[in-house]
Amino acid sequence: MMLFPPTGLEYVATSARGLAEKITLMDLRHEPELSDTEKLIAFISGQIDILCVGIGWDRQFDEICRMLNRVPDGVTVVVGGYKATEKVEELFAACPKIDIIVRGEGEETIKEIFKAVPLKDILGISYRETGKIIHNPNRPLPDVDTLGAPDRSLRRNAYSFALNGIKIADMRFDSVLSARGCPFNCKFCTFSLNPLGQKRNYSARSVTSVVDEIQGLQAGIIILSDDDFFADPGRAEKICDLLIARKINKRFMAQARLDIAKYPALLEKMVKAGFKALLVGIESPHDWILKQLNKGFDQEAIRKYFKVLVKYPIFYSGYFIYGNIGETEEEMLYIGKFAKEIGIDAIACNKLRIEKFSPLKELALKTPGYHVTARGELYSDTYSHAALKKIGKRIKFTFYTPSRYVKILWKNIFIVRFFTWQEIIFFLAAAPRIFISVIAREVRRGRLGDSLKRTFIRNN
């Protein structure tokens, strides 16, 4: 849906401000013309001296490499991002045109590159020199309060509510990073580790700087993109207090742990401050899996916490992981039923991944019948990639029945009041075009019949 900007890349671009004659920040999701490779290469050839590319995920990795290999000689190519850091050697081998790879957080590193500091003196980079790859020492992780907010004037487009390219409502979105790192140690998660295996200790910005940034935004809907915005409940409460005191009228979404239910005063203030949705990591309904993942709670605690959470007018979306080591199909399929039992509003299910520095990697490799691909995809002799994909669809369609969509709309309109009536009218006017575009997409993919059957006939 492309609701939110590439904030990480915006931080890096902001750090480079003033060190180049011109900086062009491009989010290719919103550049239909330049998404054509020929036109993009022509643009780079005519206007660019230094090309900085962020690679955060495996998606389209091969296409990105093919594009980079066509960059004209004379253009310096700098690559960074989560996957670039993790796959330094692979990227240099696949992309001869890459000059420098920035490892880890890049705000300070990019400044030194643009200032033409000798490469041998720049921490946190890998680079080519006389046919060899040189890896400089890692750069210490900076205090987040030393980093300014991203310069949103560099954007070439606004981020609004659209589906399949059709504007759904006149709503603008933005994201704010109030802290980096996470104080918890869930075994499946490597977001608290950077791709170098360094633990990113929880580092929070000052309350005033966060609220100042929010107050200056044009967007009316803000996602607090911290790994856990409520990692420090006292700090979160102070941010809510200041939002209320300044009468900042915006709608907020944030990621949270379940134990936020232990802080009713904070929940009350969140509602008053404008928090409309929480993205909650539940991961599994099974105690033995929760213990394997080191979540720090069990099914009984999940049920207890949700009895508290559902009392507040907040929309709850739960993250679940399936395909865990030793998990049966029956246990995976229970996710949808369990989510309904605890009263969660929406779910997102992902297969377990075993990243380079995952604490689960040793267990996965030692467990007979389990395999990890070079891209961190876990599968087993019992459950292949294709089998897990089918199970994931069954979980989804078990939960998302037609009545579920009605409940989602009802709660967002009448309980959470996420949407204004003006936005609802806009959406209703756009609904026929959206419906037609979805049907056309399913026809192109050759799965219309199957989607209709799963949605309206068999949801198990």
Side-chain angles (χ1 to χ4, degrees):
M1 297 177 74
M2 306 188 298
L3 296 179
F4 298 104
T7 308
L9 198 59
E10 291 185 343
Y11 266 102
V12 175
T14 301
S15 292
R17 188 178 47 192
L19 301 175
E21 182 179 333
K22 180 182 179 182
I23 293 176
T24 302
L25 176 64
M26 292 193 297
D27 180 349
L28 290 181
R29 298 175 300 170
H30 293 273
E31 301 277 359
E33 185 173 341
L34 292 177
S35 289
D36 178 274
T37 304
E38 300 300 329
K39 293 179 180 177
L40 180 60
I41 294 298
F43 175 83
I44 293 169
S45 302
Q47 300 193 38
I48 304 299
D49 298 307
I50 300 179
L51 177 66
C52 302
V53 179
I55 305 177
W57 306 97
D58 280 320
R59 184 178 296 173
Q60 296 180 308
F61 190 86
D62 293 337
E63 291 129 296
I64 292 170
C65 286
R66 285 196 295 271
M67 187 278 289
L68 291 177
N69 285 334
R70 296 189 55 193
V71 172
D73 294 336
V75 175
T76 299
V77 178
V78 181
V79 176
Y82 193 92
K83 280 297 167 186
T85 302
E86 186 181 71
K87 298 191 172 186
V88 172
E89 299 289 349
E90 295 95 320
L91 265 174
F92 274 128
C95 305
K97 291 294 184 75
I98 293 177
D99 297 291
I100 302 168
I101 292 180
V102 176
R103 308 190 314 266
E105 297 176 19
E107 288 89 352
E108 295 303 315
T109 305
I110 203 69
K111 290 179 183 177
E112 295 182 8
I113 292 173
F114 274 49
K115 289 177 180 177
V117 172
L119 295 184
K120 64 181 180 64
D121 297 327
I122 301 178
L123 296 177
I125 66 168
S126 298
Y127 61 98
R128 299 181 194 272
E129 184 175 83
T130 61
K132 295 182 180 180
I133 306 299
I134 309 297
H135 303 288
N136 288 355
N138 295 339
R139 180 177 292 277
L141 299 172
D143 185 327
V144 294
D145 255 340
T146 65
L147 306 173
D151 181 1
R152 292 168 171 86
S153 69
L154 293 171
R155 293 178 187 169
R156 291 159 61 96
N157 54 272
Y159 290 83
S160 58
F161 204 176
L163 182 64
N164 289 344
I166 298 171
K167 194 172 183 180
I168 295 175
D170 192 17
M171 304 160 67
R172 289 188 64 176
F173 291 74
D174 212 328
S175 61
V176 170
L177 186 65
S178 87
R180 294 188 183 184
C182 178
F184 302 101
N185 293 289
C186 300
K187 285 189 176 179
F188 66 93
C189 179
T190 53
F191 285 110
S192 62
L193 299 174
N194 69 19
L196 305 167
Q198 294 171 300
K199 169 71 175 176
R200 193 8 155 165
N201 293 324
Y202 181 71
S203 179
R205 293 168 51 192
S206 69
V207 169
T208 303
S209 74
V210 174
V211 177
D212 286 347
E213 181 179 349
I214 291 170
Q215 190 167 16
L217 300 181
Q218 294 182 358
I221 301 174
I222 311 298
I223 186 167
L224 284 307
S225 53
D226 308 18
D227 292 336
D228 177 9
F229 179 71
F230 308 97
D232 180 346
R235 172 179 175 272
E237 190 168 345
K238 289 177 182 177
I239 289 175
C240 289
D241 286 336
L242 194 52
L243 289 169
I244 294 166
R246 293 190 186 181
K247 298 180 180 180
I248 296 174
N249 184 25
K250 295 185 184 295
R251 289 164 276 182
F252 299 99
M253 305 164 64
Q255 298 190 107
R257 276 177 61 91
L258 272 175
D259 48 14
I260 193 175
K262 295 190 293 188
Y263 304 95
L266 172 57
L267 285 161
E268 293 283 355
K269 289 182 179 181
M270 285 165 52
V271 172
K272 191 173 180 181
F275 280 79
K276 300 293 185 181
L278 291 182
L279 314 177
V280 184
I282 301 170
E283 319 315 347
S284 176
H286 307 294
D287 287 349
W288 71 269
I289 295 176
L290 292 168
K291 185 177 181 180
Q292 184 183 89
L293 301 179
N294 197 33
K295 282 300 296 182
F297 50 73
D298 57 17
Q299 187 191 116
E300 182 181 357
I302 295 172
R303 293 183 184 276
K304 181 183 73 173
Y305 287 147
F306 260 95
K307 284 180 181 178
V308 175
L309 294 175
V310 295
K311 296 177 182 178
Y312 296 88
I314 295 173
F315 187 87
Y316 299 102
S317 180
Y319 293 123
F320 287 90
I321 296 172
Y322 69 98
N324 294 283
I325 302 168
E327 189 174 22
T328 66
E329 181 174 351
E330 182 181 5
E331 287 171 321
M332 296 182 217
L333 293 175
Y334 180 55
I335 289 174
K337 181 181 178 183
F338 177 72
K340 290 178 180 179
E341 290 172 357
I342 63 176
I344 203 161
D345 301 303
I347 64 171
C349 297
N350 294 291
K351 291 181 291 184
L352 178 66
R353 291 182 59 83
I354 306 293
E355 304 287 357
K356 186 174 182 180
F357 296 104
S358 171
L360 290 173
K361 189 169 187 177
E362 184 178 356
L363 175 62
L365 295 177
K366 284 184 176 180
T367 304
Y370 277 83
H371 315 279
V372 181
T373 70
R375 291 193 173 187
E377 299 162 317
L378 178 72
Y379 69 99
S380 69
D381 295 342
T382 306
Y383 301 110
S384 65
H385 290 303
L388 287 171
K389 187 175 182 179
K390 288 180 180 178
I391 291 170
K393 287 183 178 179
R394 290 181 66 191
I395 296 170
K396 173 185 173 183
F397 287 112
T398 297
F399 182 81
Y400 286 107
T401 61
S403 62
R404 172 61 51 182
Y405 291 112
V406 172
K407 290 178 181 178
I408 288 173
L409 283 173
W410 180 271
K411 184 166 184 178
N412 276 303
I413 294 171
F414 297 105
I415 299 175
V416 176
R417 296 183 180 178
F418 193 99
F419 303 107
T420 67
W421 284 109
Q422 184 179 4
E423 290 163 352
I424 293 167
I425 292 169
F426 193 110
F427 171 76
L428 291 174
R433 287 192 300 143
I434 296 167
F435 180 75
I436 291 170
S437 74
V438 170
I439 294 294
R441 181 193 65 193
E442 296 301 288
V443 169
R444 285 195 306 272
R445 295 177 177 177
R447 65 184 194 187
L448 177 61
D450 185 57
S451 295
L452 290 174
K453 284 178 183 178
R454 288 186 177 276
T455 303
F456 295 104
I457 300 174
R458 50 183 173 86
N459 290 288
N460 52 50

